[in-house]
Each structure stands twice: as structure tokens, then as C-alpha cells.
């Protein structure tokens, strides 16, 4: 796996999400990475692409990968504002069910997409926000997308037909 390939840098994930493992003798890498517990799943590239194609890629995007919200039907946008731990927590609580899973797409493809229990993610939002300035969170059961940008902006929208 090259350094630029999907999921090649799980070590960049927030520490609560991953643990290091010792690979079997003869492996090309002595140390590997796995999810820290059963509430977290590191998605394969195929799984990530499938979910992203059915949701995030439905929206027009800039060359930087951010969604171009001015080109999105305004009726789908639920909320816009500045992002910090409190605003992201409030937005998730307001627009997503109490239970369920969140899928986090990072700004970089070398960091694997993560599926995580919503309650666990909410308890660690400060670490998530500190790890990457740009990411998208999908509330799977609610078909709701939360985009956090490098400019500290949060946009929440519904995904139709997902």
C-alpha cells in the first residue's frame, strides 16, 4: 500500500478510535492498526466509496472537496453557522436520533472513513474537531449530513433519495 492510498494512515485518527497491533511475522509492516473497540469500525475503501457515492457525492463540490451550498436546494439545508464542540453537539442532537451510527469522512483519503456509535462520538467531539479541520459526518439512519469546513463553518442538510 503506498503512502497516498486510501486508509494508509489510521495513525492520524483521534487516539480514542484506534489501537496499534502487532502484525504476524513476515508482514511488510511490523505494526498494524485496528479499531479501539466494537463501537468503532474502520471502513474499507469499497465501503467508504459506496456510502459516499450514495450520500456526499450527490452534492456539487468545489475543487477543495467542500460542498457548494449555494447550488444546493435551500429546502434541504437545516442549519448553518460556526462550528465548535458545542454547536456540533447541539446540531447532532437536534437533527439525528439519539441512538445510531455516524460515519465520518475525513478531508484526506489516507485516513480511513470511520463508522462510530453516536453516543461515543458525541463524547469525543473535541478530539475529533482537534484532529482535522475539515470532515463530514453522516447520521446514517437519519439521512442527515453535517459538514465542518476549514473555515470553521458547519452546515447541516438532509439527503434525499439515499
Amino acid at each position: 500500500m503506498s503512502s497516498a492510498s486510501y486508509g494508509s494512515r489510521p495513525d492520524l485518527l483521534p487516539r480514542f478510535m484506534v489501537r496499534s497491533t502487532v502484525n504476524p511475522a513476515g508482514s511488510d509492516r511490523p505494526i498494524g492498526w485496528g479499531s479501539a473497540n466494537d463501537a468503532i469500525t474502520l471502513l474499507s475503501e469499497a465501503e467508504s466509496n459506496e456510502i459516499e457515492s450514495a450520500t456526499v457525492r450527490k452534492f456539487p463540490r468545489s475543487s477543495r472537496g467542500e460542498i457548494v451550498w449555494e447550488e444546493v436546494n435551500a429546502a434541504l439545508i437545516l442549519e448553518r453557522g460556526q462550528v465548535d464542540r458545542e454547536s456540533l453537539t447541539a446540531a447532532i442532537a437536534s437533527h439525528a436520533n439519539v441512538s445510531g451510527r455516524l460515519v465520518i469522512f475525513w478531508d484526506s483519503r489516507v485516513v480511513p472513513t470511520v463508522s462510530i456509535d453516536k453516543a461515543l462520538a458525541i463524547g469525543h467531539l473535541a478530539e475529533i474537531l482537534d484532529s482535522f479541520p475539515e470532515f463530514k459526518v453522516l447520521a446514517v439512519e437519519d439521512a442527515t449530513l453535517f459538514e465542518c469546513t476549514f473555515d470553521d463553518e458547519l452546515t447541516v442538510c438532509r439527503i434525499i433519495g439515499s
Side-chain angles (χ1 to χ4, degrees), residues 13-115:
L13 286 167
R15 291 286 165 237
F16 79 94
M17 290 186 176
V18 293
R19 61 177 171 74
S20 61
T21 59
V22 177
N23 285 333
S27 294
D28 59 340
R29 294 183 179 177
I31 302 294
W33 297 92
S35 61
N37 65 51
D38 292 340
I40 301 167
T41 303
L42 307 183
L43 300 183
S44 70
E45 184 173 18
E47 292 168 321
S48 178
N49 285 338
E50 181 180 345
I51 296 168
E52 192 173 16
S53 290
T55 57
V56 177
R57 291 185 190 154
K58 289 185 170 200
F59 297 100
R61 296 198 290 182
S62 72
S63 60
R64 287 181 34 188
E66 295 175 353
I67 295 172
V68 181
W69 293 109
E70 295 74 23
E71 296 178 20
V72 174
N73 181 341
L76 297 176
I77 298 173
L78 303 172
E79 183 177 333
R80 292 193 85 177
Q82 291 300 111
V83 67
D84 57 25
R85 186 176 83 62
E86 290 78 21
S87 64
L88 185 54
T89 301
I92 291 172
S94 177
H95 301 293
N97 287 323
V98 174
S99 62
R101 306 228 17 115
L102 301 176
V103 174
I104 303 175
F105 301 95
W106 309 102
D107 184 39
S108 173
R109 296 286 294 168
V110 299
V111 182
T113 299
V114 174
S115 174

Side-chain angles (χ1 to χ4, degrees), residues 64 66 69 83 133-135 147-154:
R64 287 181 34 188
E66 295 175 353
W69 293 109
V83 67
E134 287 191 349
F135 57 92
E147 181 185 56
C148 301
T149 69
F150 186 74
D151 298 323
D152 294 328
E153 294 177 4
L154 169 66

